[in-house]
């Protein structure tokens, strides 16, 4: 799991320059085109919660503003704690 976090961070740094690039939606709002998907990281207690929290912290540290989550991912609490 640690390797996965490292890869996410490396990927994040390589795309950090593009993190602030947005697209205008039909609603008139701007949405970042690069976001962090949290679908593969379900919460399930302290170890997994810590992974999700650290992953979101790392992403926001490099400039991510779009964190994709859904109730089906079962990790909303950990994402919210981050």
């Amino acid at each position: 799991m640690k390797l996965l976090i490292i890869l996410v961070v490396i990927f994040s740094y390589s795309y950090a320059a593009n993190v602030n690039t947005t697209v205008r939606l039909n609603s008139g709002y701007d949405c970042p085109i690069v976001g962090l998907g949290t679908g593969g990281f379900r919460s399930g207690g302290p170890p997994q919660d810590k992974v999700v929290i650290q992953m979101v912290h790392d992403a926001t540290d490099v400039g991510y503003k779009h964190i994709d989550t859904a109730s089906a991912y079962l990790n909303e609490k950990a994402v919210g704690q981050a």
Side-chain angles (χ1 to χ4, degrees):
M1 188 56 70
K2 197 170 197 169
L3 175 62
L4 184 58
I5 293 172
I6 292 169
L7 290 175
V8 168
V9 171
I10 290 170
F11 178 78
S12 298
Y13 281 116
S14 66
Y15 284 95
N18 298 324
V19 171
N20 293 317
T21 303
T22 62
V23 63
R24 176 84 29 127
L25 303 176
N26 289 338
S27 63
Y29 290 99
D30 291 330
C31 180
I33 61 170
V34 176
L36 175 70
T38 62
F41 301 93
R42 293 179 183 246
S43 293
Q48 191 63 18
D49 286 349
K50 288 181 181 178
V51 170
V52 172
I53 291 167
Q54 187 62 53
M55 180 176 66
V56 173
H57 274 284
D58 292 344
T60 57
D61 285 349
V62 297
Y64 278 68
K65 293 181 174 73
H66 179 184
I67 309 298
D68 175 43
T69 188
S71 60
Y73 301 163
L74 304 175
N75 63 10
E76 292 172 302
K77 184 177 179 183
V79 171
Q81 286 176 341

